[in-house]
Amino acid sequence: MLCVAKNNNEYVEVTPVKVVKDNSLLNVIKGMNSNTANYTFNLTADMFDENSTTINQSHLENNLNLSNVEIPNKIVTIDKYAFRGCANLLSVKIGNGITAINERAFYGCNNLSKITINNNNKVIIRTFSFSYIRNQGELTITGQVSFDTEGWRYNDYKILRIPNATYIGNRAIYICPYLKIVDFRGRTLTTIPTRLDQTSFTATGNSDVPTDCKFIVPDELYDQWIVATNWVTIADRIVKASEYTEA
């Protein structure tokens, strides 16, 4: 199978190495040194072995060649450090089988501007799973999601679309000074997500929600939301979907 990669602004054909059956990724492209960025490369769902269900620890750590990653539906776990330090990674699309994204899986992916998780199962975002991302991007998780303590830490993202979040732990969305929108529109659950305490969304690490951050909620849940435990303290930031116009 030949794929197109980019080498110093010139497109060339390369042969990828699949995730083999013991889940060792080896090199993304034959003959490529993963610690240099001579090539940019898209890792697509069809490059994964049909028996792979996990991306194991440190498989793609510090790979500077990755530009975009599409993870297939059969992957249920992304283990710790799997993509840590992939500084040129721009976007990640994760399939519907995912249930856990473990510690520091995407830690230090500085340029990661778009993360989309179209999950059928509930997914757990473990501690530091997504941390130290300096791009002011957008996260979308369509299915049920639980954020562990400091699962989303020191990030510059502006928009979190998490309509079916179920649990947001203490310091879960932690030191995110640029956060503007937390969007719950399209929620299919009829319950209010648990906000464990007042440090769940912070700008500087105290109990301070970013000054102009808005929480957009379905109209039918608004009255419950603004009086719910630990949401009542930021009721002035909660906005009905019908009254919100996105810039």
Side-chain angles (χ1 to χ4, degrees), residues 51-118:
N51 295 322
S52 299
T53 59
T54 300
I55 301 176
N56 278 356
Q57 180 175 336
S58 302
H59 274 174
L60 285 161
E61 186 176 14
N62 296 322
N63 190 305
L64 300 181
N65 306 111
L66 285 177
S67 180
N68 300 284
V69 170
E70 180 185 358
I71 295 172
N73 295 336
K74 58 198 167 201
I75 298 296
V76 298
T77 303
I78 301 173
D79 211 348
K80 59 185 180 180
Y81 312 137
F83 293 92
R84 183 173 67 170
C86 293
N88 295 319
L89 185 59
L90 300 177
S91 71
V92 172
K93 183 177 180 180
I94 299 175
N96 61 29
I98 196 72
T99 60
I101 301 174
N102 289 339
E103 291 85 347
R104 292 176 168 83
F106 292 92
Y107 183 99
C109 295
N110 293 335
N111 290 301
L112 185 54
S113 63
K114 190 173 181 64
I115 303 165
T116 304
I117 305 176
N118 294 314

Side-chain angles (χ1 to χ4, degrees), residues 33-34 39-40 72 82 86 102 118 128-130 135 155-157 164 173-174 201 224-225 234 237 240:
N33 181 343
S34 65
Y39 292 91
T40 56
C86 293
N102 289 339
N118 294 314
F128 285 13
S129 291
F130 295 95
N135 203 314
N155 290 330
D156 291 350
Y157 269 39
N164 288 303
I173 318 286
Y174 186 65
F201 300 92
Q224 299 175 54
W225 214 298
I234 55 171
R237 315 283 184 86
K240 288 182 181 180

Side-chain angles (χ1 to χ4, degrees), residues 6-7 14-15 17 26-41 59-66 86 88:
K6 192 175 184 181
N7 179 20
V14 293
T15 304
V17 175
L26 304 178
N27 296 308
V28 177
I29 302 174
K30 288 179 179 177
M32 175 184 291
N33 181 343
S34 65
N35 292 315
T36 63
N38 293 328
Y39 292 91
T40 56
F41 185 69
H59 274 174
L60 285 161
E61 186 176 14
N62 296 322
N63 190 305
L64 300 181
N65 306 111
L66 285 177
C86 293
N88 295 319

Side-chain angles (χ1 to χ4, degrees), residues 42-224:
N42 296 333
L43 180 62
T44 57
D46 59 353
M47 295 177 192
F48 289 77
D49 183 82
E50 61 275 9
N51 295 322
S52 299
T53 59
T54 300
I55 301 176
N56 278 356
Q57 180 175 336
S58 302
H59 274 174
L60 285 161
E61 186 176 14
N62 296 322
N63 190 305
L64 300 181
N65 306 111
L66 285 177
S67 180
N68 300 284
V69 170
E70 180 185 358
I71 295 172
N73 295 336
K74 58 198 167 201
I75 298 296
V76 298
T77 303
I78 301 173
D79 211 348
K80 59 185 180 180
Y81 312 137
F83 293 92
R84 183 173 67 170
C86 293
N88 295 319
L89 185 59
L90 300 177
S91 71
V92 172
K93 183 177 180 180
I94 299 175
N96 61 29
I98 196 72
T99 60
I101 301 174
N102 289 339
E103 291 85 347
R104 292 176 168 83
F106 292 92
Y107 183 99
C109 295
N110 293 335
N111 290 301
L112 185 54
S113 63
K114 190 173 181 64
I115 303 165
T116 304
I117 305 176
N118 294 314
N119 53 312
N120 289 337
N121 305 305
K122 183 175 179 178
V123 61
I124 299 174
I125 307 295
R126 304 285 189 195
T127 301
F128 285 13
S129 291
F130 295 95
S131 297
Y132 293 92
I133 300 174
R134 300 277 72 104
N135 203 314
Q136 294 186 15
E138 179 176 323
L139 167 72
T140 301
I141 305 177
T142 57
Q144 294 186 38
V145 58
S146 172
F147 285 90
D148 277 0
T149 299
E150 298 187 21
W152 187 268
R153 173 189 170 101
Y154 286 120
N155 290 330
D156 291 350
Y157 269 39
K158 289 185 174 182
I159 301 174
L160 303 183
R161 301 191 193 280
I162 49 174
N164 288 303
T166 58
Y167 176 86
I168 302 166
N170 63 309
R171 305 191 311 278
I173 318 286
Y174 186 65
I175 309 185
C176 297
Y178 298 99
L179 189 60
K180 304 293 185 189
I181 299 170
V182 182
D183 192 352
F184 295 97
R185 287 177 294 180
R187 188 172 182 82
T188 59
L189 303 175
T190 58
T191 55
I192 309 303
T194 299
R195 183 184 182 217
L196 191 61
D197 65 18
Q198 294 181 35
T199 66
S200 291
F201 300 92
T202 76
T204 64
N206 300 310
S207 299
D208 57 327
V209 176
T211 305
D212 53 355
C213 182
K214 300 295 183 185
F215 298 83
I216 317 305
V217 305
D219 288 20
E220 63 273 16
L221 294 176
Y222 175 80
D223 289 341
Q224 299 175 54

